[in-house]
Amino acid sequence: MLKDSFSGLLVAFGLYSALPLPQVEWKKHTMRYALGFLPLIGILVGGCEYGWLLLARYWQLSAMLYGAIAVLLPVALTGGIHLDGFVDTCDALCSYGDREKRLAILKDPHVGAFGILWIIVLLLVQFGLFAQLYEVPEQASMLLAGYALARAFGGNMIVTQKCAKDSGLARLFADNADKKQVSYVMAGWIAACVCWLLVMGKGFGLAAFVLVLLYFICHVRLCHKHFGGITGDLCGMCITICETLVLVTAVIGGLCLR
């Protein structure tokens, strides 16, 4: 079990991060617990974001420079895999086609105009939020748990929800995961993240969790209504929006406590 867990760690970081780690062959025993390590990547991203904030304030950098690098950090650390899901999902939803057309758009490697439009909107919003967070960092420690919480919910989708397709990354991980064990691990991750948010963010931490939970419920319903289930791209969008919601709450908390 220990060997399988370590292999799962390498599989998770090999796919969902851009870190140069040894490659592991994707088999059932190596992927069995892989999703359980997904929130660890969130801790890495959140820790780097918080460290960059402390460093930028120590060096007294401008809010714009801090915000620009803060937006790019998750891309550099993850390779932008979840942003890719966000872009593809926006293209599919904005097509207003039937279920089969939306699923075909998710599979299409080409990027449409709506995907480009909404990724620009997202990155601009995140840039503005990070720039404001630099000015009011009182609740910035929420980011340490926010990125992990987003991935815990995203991983939970894969092991608890019906897949929309018979192929793709979500289906591959769902078929090879120990769903019961991984769902327990994800519940533990969510509980740990909520405890951190409540301790460090107090009422604002609770607000962040409620926002993420409500969005998660709405997102799952959207997936089943428009796609007939979940896919890797839809999970990527869920993670991206959940991250942003925690960032929004951290900024609001900082403004209220200023």
Side-chain angles (χ1 to χ4, degrees):
M1 181 175 177
L2 182 61
K3 183 179 179 181
D4 289 348
S5 296
F6 183 69
S7 297
L9 174 67
L10 293 178
V11 169
F13 273 79
L15 176 62
Y16 294 110
S17 81
L19 300 181
L21 295 176
Q23 297 297 310
V24 176
E25 189 175 0
W26 288 14
K27 293 183 177 180
K28 190 171 184 65
H29 70 92
T30 61
M31 300 178 69
R32 187 178 182 185
Y33 305 113
L35 283 173
F37 295 100
L38 181 57
L40 276 179
I41 302 171
I43 290 179
L44 172 66
V45 176
C48 288
E49 287 285 14
Y50 190 67
W52 167 237
L53 174 61
L54 296 179
L55 194 60
R57 288 181 62 83
Y58 176 77
W59 285 341
Q60 297 183 348
L61 302 179
S62 71
M64 292 186 65
L65 177 58
Y66 160 74
I69 296 179
V71 169
L72 295 176
L73 263 178
V75 180
L77 292 170
T78 67
I81 186 170
H82 304 307
L83 288 179
D84 174 72
F86 175 86
V87 170
D88 289 342
T89 303
C90 288
D91 269 336
L93 289 174
C94 292
S95 70
Y96 295 103
D98 56 20
R99 181 177 297 176
E100 287 71 23
K101 181 177 180 180
R102 290 192 179 101
L103 290 173
I105 292 174
L106 290 181
K107 188 176 181 180
D108 191 342
H110 300 92
V111 180
F114 286 109
I116 295 173
L117 170 65
W118 284 109
I119 191 62
I120 291 174
V121 171
L122 174 73
L123 295 179
L124 281 175
V125 168
Q126 290 184 347
F127 171 75
L129 290 170
F130 277 119
Q132 185 62 63
L133 185 69
Y134 183 78
E135 303 292 341
V136 287
E138 286 79 4
Q139 297 295 313
S141 59
M142 290 169 55
L143 299 183
L144 292 169
Y147 288 90
L149 180 66
R151 283 159 178 76
F153 273 109
N156 179 269
M157 283 182 63
I158 295 177
V159 295
T160 62
Q161 303 298 318
K162 172 189 173 184
C163 290
K165 301 186 298 182
D166 293 329
S167 60
L169 280 176
R171 186 61 185 238
L172 180 63
F173 275 86
D175 287 345
N176 289 283
D178 186 331
K179 294 184 179 180
K180 184 177 181 180
Q181 293 297 324
V182 172
S183 64
Y184 288 156
V185 171
M186 289 305 181
W189 275 113
I190 292 172
C193 291
V194 171
C195 288
W196 178 272
L197 290 172
L198 291 177
V199 171
M200 303 304 296
K202 298 181 174 61
F204 298 106
L206 177 61
F209 171 66
V210 171
L211 277 177
V212 169
L213 179 61
L214 290 176
Y215 171 75
F216 175 76
I217 294 171
C218 292
H219 186 76
V220 169
R221 293 183 64 182
L222 177 145
C223 291
H224 287 287
K225 178 180 179 180
H226 295 293
F227 298 93
I230 61 102
T231 69
D233 286 325
L234 296 173
C235 292
M237 182 174 190
C238 178
I239 291 172
T240 300
I241 299 299
C242 288
E243 292 173 347
T244 308
L245 288 175
V246 175
L247 177 58
V248 168
T249 314
V251 170
I252 293 173
L255 288 169
C256 292
L257 295 175
R258 183 169 57 174

